[in-house]
Amino acid sequence: VRAHLGTYLFAACASAQSASSMSVTARLHADRPQLLVPGAPVLGALSAGAWRYYSFELRHASGDAVLSLSPLTGAAELYAKIADAADAQRPPRADAFTWRSQRGLNRIALGPGTDGYSSDARYVVGVHGITAAEFSLVLTRDGGPTELIDGVPTPFLSTRANAPLYFHFELHEATALTIAVTPSSGEPALYVSTTSAQPDARTATWVSATLGSAEVLVIEPTDANFVQGRYYVAVGSPSAPSSFSVLASTHGATVRLAEGLPQQLALKAREWAYFKLVVPPSEQAAAGLLVSVEPLFGDPNVYVSDDGELPTLAKHGWRSTLPGGDQLVLPPCAAPSNCVYDIGVLAVESPTNFTIVAGRADTAQVLQLDTPVSGRATDDAGRVRYYMLLVHLADDGVTAKSLEWQLSALSGSCTLAVSATQPRPTLSSGSHAATGDEHSAELRISSALATSMCSQAAAASADADDQRCVFYASVTAASAGAAYTLAVSEGEAAA
C-alpha cells in the first residue's frame, strides 16, 4: 500500500454463511519484523526473491523453541539468527543468518543443544521466497499448544516417543468438526477433549488410535459431548517417534492443499469434501498439474474446476471416476496470475477414508512409510516423478534406521534412484539405484548407509534439525503409459 500521512481504517467481515475468528496485523515498514506469538500461526505471502521478517524473545528459557514453516503455494526457505545492532540498519539476508532449515524439512529447532543458542535473547526469523509463495509459520515453545486454523493443515511436525504435541481449535457454530492426522512416519494416536487441555488415553472424550492407519475423527453436532467452544487435541505415539500433519476443518470448509503434501480425510456415503490448490505463475510447469486420490477403503471420485466455482457432478472441468484410486493430470494453466484449482472428492455409494495429493507433476510428493503410492506416466513430459521421505533419527541425532524401497511396475518398466543430497536424483549422478527385473525392483539401504547419507546431507547444509533426515527419490518410466507402485518400509537402527 502506498503510504500517506493520516489515519487508516480497516474492516474485516465474516461471510453470511459462517462465523469467523481472525487476527489483523499492520506494519509501517515491510522489513520490520512481525512479532511471533508462541502457538499462534501466521499466514504470509511473498514474491520470488523477497523476504518476510519475524521476531520472538526468549527470557531465561529452559526448553526448546521450534519454528515450523509450511509453504501452501510455491517454495520458501526458513532462516533464524540472534538479533544484533546491524539488523536495525539493514534487514539481514541469507549469509547473515546463523541457522537455515534443511531443504524439505522447513523446521528449525533451537535449544540448549544448538550451537550458538542463547536462552536470553531476541531472535530474528526470515522467510525467503525461492519462488512466489504463500505460507504458514508457527513458533512453539516448551511443548505448548498450537492453534489450528480451519481448513489449513499444519506442517509435518515431529515428536519423540511419549512426547505428544498439543493443539486447540475454536468451534463457533453447530457444525460437524473433522480432525485428521496424516502421518509420514510412526503410528501417531489422536486424542480430543473439551475439558482436558492435555488429553490422553485416559482423559480424552474422543480417541483414534488405529495401528497402521491415519487417524480421522468426525464429531457431529448430534454427539452427546459436542460443544461450541474450544477443542483440545493431542497427537503422539507412546512407543516411537512420529511425524505428522494435523488438520481441523468444519463441515463445508475448503481445505488448503500444499503442493506434494498428502492430506487424509474421511467422508460419509454421497458426501463431498472440497480442496483448493493455488499455483503461482512462475510454477506453471509444462507437465501440468497432478491430482491423485488413494482410498484406504471406499471408492472416492475426484472432480476439478478452475473457473472459481466448486465442481459438481454436472459442472466441472476434469474428472476421474475409476473404481479405487484416481489420478488426473491437468494441462498447464495459461492465466497471467495465480492458477486456482477447486477440487471436489465425492464418496460414491459408501463411506471412504482417502489421501489426496496435488501439485505440479514435477513437484516432489511426500511419502508415508508403509503406504504405497501409485504413479503413471501419461506422456513423455511426465515420465519422471519425484518423492521425499522424512525419517527420524535415533536419540543421538545421528543414527538412522534401515530402509526397504519396493518399486513394482504394473505396466511398462521403471527405474528408481534415491539420494539424501540431490532433490532430483538420477541414475547417472551417483544416487543409489534399485535392482531387479522390469517388473519389480528393490533397494535396501542399511542403517549404516542411511546414517552416512544423512550425515553427508547435514554437513552440506546449515541444518538446525537434529531429529529428521530427508531422502529424495525419482521414478523414471521407460515410456509413456507405464504405471507403478512405490512403497517404503523402515527396519532397525544399527546398534
Side-chain angles (χ1 to χ4, degrees):
V1 176
R2 183 182 297 274
H4 299 280
L5 294 178
T7 301
Y8 289 79
L9 301 178
F10 301 88
C13 302
S15 68
Q17 287 76 32
S18 62
S20 299
S21 62
M22 67 193 73
S23 63
V24 178
T25 302
R27 287 179 292 164
L28 186 58
H29 302 286
D31 287 338
R32 184 165 295 170
Q34 176 181 338
L35 181 65
L36 291 176
V37 177
V42 295
L43 300 176
L46 69 175
S47 56
W51 287 82
R52 289 289 180 269
Y53 297 100
Y54 304 86
S55 68
F56 65 93
E57 291 191 4
L58 298 181
R59 290 291 175 252
H60 311 293
S62 58
D64 288 349
V66 179
L67 295 157
S68 299
L69 177 72
S70 178
L72 300 173
T73 68
E77 296 176 302
L78 179 63
Y79 295 79
K81 68 185 293 290
I82 294 177
D84 55 38
D87 297 333
Q89 304 300 320
R90 181 177 180 275
R93 292 299 190 255
D95 58 358
F97 284 95
T98 308
W99 303 282
R100 184 187 70 191
S101 62
Q102 183 177 330
R103 182 190 287 254
L105 290 179
N106 294 325
R107 177 183 183 273
I108 295 177
L110 303 171
T114 306
D115 290 341
Y117 167 81
S118 173
S119 62
D120 195 1
R122 177 174 172 266
Y123 287 77
V124 174
V125 179
V127 179
H128 176 240
I130 301 173
T131 67
E134 297 179 18
F135 60 88
S136 170
L137 174 66
V138 64
L139 166 70
T140 54
R141 288 280 316 279
D142 305 328
T146 298
E147 179 184 357
L148 296 173
I149 301 175
D150 192 5
V152 180
T154 70
F156 273 90
L157 307 170
S158 285
T159 182
R160 296 201 179 277
N162 206 29
L165 299 183
Y166 298 102
F167 309 86
H168 61 82
F169 180 79
E170 299 290 338
L171 184 63
H172 298 285
E173 53 189 323
T175 186
L177 170 63
T178 297
I179 301 175
V181 175
T182 303
S184 63
S185 64
E187 298 281 358
L190 170 62
Y191 305 97
V192 180
S193 173
T194 57
T195 57
S196 173
Q198 296 186 344
D200 54 25
R202 181 179 57 85
T203 61
T205 306
W206 300 274
V207 176
S208 180
T210 306
L211 292 178
S213 172
E215 311 300 341
V216 181
L217 284 173
V218 181
I219 304 172
E220 300 281 358
T222 54
D223 191 303
N225 295 299
F226 177 90
V227 299
Q228 290 180 230
R230 175 165 292 190
Y231 285 75
Y232 299 99
V233 180
V235 183
S237 171
S239 58
S242 56
S243 291
F244 50 82
S245 173
V246 183
L247 169 71
S249 62
T250 55
H251 180 72
T254 299
V255 176
R256 283 294 301 266
L257 291 177
E259 284 193 273
L261 297 186
Q263 179 58 58
Q264 188 88 11
L265 216 58
L267 291 173
K268 296 182 289 188
R270 293 176 291 281
E271 185 179 20
W272 285 85
Y274 291 102
F275 305 86
K276 187 180 295 292
L277 179 72
V278 180
V279 182
S282 62
E283 296 299 294
Q284 293 164 15
L289 262 77
L290 176 69
V291 180
S292 177
V293 176
E294 295 284 348
L296 180 64
F297 59 81
D299 181 22
N301 289 341
V302 60
Y303 301 80
V304 182
S305 63
D306 63 353
D307 59 1
E309 305 228 348
L310 295 178
T312 65
L313 290 174
K315 188 175 182 297
H316 52 265
W318 303 268
R319 70 175 182 179
S320 178
T321 58
L322 296 174
D326 291 280
Q327 180 174 295
L328 283 172
V329 178
L330 280 56
C333 174
S337 57
N338 284 349
C339 298
V340 181
Y341 296 88
D342 289 295
I343 304 168
V345 177
L346 172 65
V348 184
E349 296 295 338
S350 62
T352 183
N353 188 314
F354 65 92
T355 299
I356 181 171
V357 182
R360 290 166 295 148
D362 59 353
T363 297
Q365 175 181 337
V366 174
L367 293 171
Q368 299 169 270
L369 282 171
D370 303 312
T371 303
V373 297
S374 60
R376 177 167 49 90
T378 55
D379 52 36
D380 287 339
R383 283 176 46 207
V384 185
R385 293 283 184 265
Y386 299 99
Y387 301 92
M388 285 196 319
L389 177 70
L390 311 179
V391 301
H392 275 271
L393 302 177
D395 290 340
D396 60 8
V398 176
T399 305
K401 294 182 178 181
S402 62
L403 295 171
E404 300 278 353
W405 299 74
Q406 180 71 48
L407 176 66
S408 300
L410 305 177
S411 63
S413 60
C414 304
T415 57
L416 169 68
V418 178
S419 172
T421 56
Q422 302 172 50
R424 298 196 171 188
T426 62
L427 297 180
S428 60
S429 62
S431 302
H432 299 271
T435 59
D437 57 32
E438 63 179 7
H439 301 297
S440 179
E442 295 181 355
L443 172 61
R444 185 181 190 279
I445 299 178
S446 67
S447 175
L449 178 56
T451 299
S452 174
M453 294 171 69
C454 290
S455 297
Q456 292 174 19
S461 71
D463 177 28
D465 191 317
D466 62 352
Q467 292 188 13
R468 297 183 295 181
C469 173
V470 182
F471 285 84
Y472 304 97
S474 67
V475 176
T476 303
S479 61
Y484 62 87
T485 62
L486 175 65
V488 190
S489 60
E490 203 170 46
E492 297 299 323

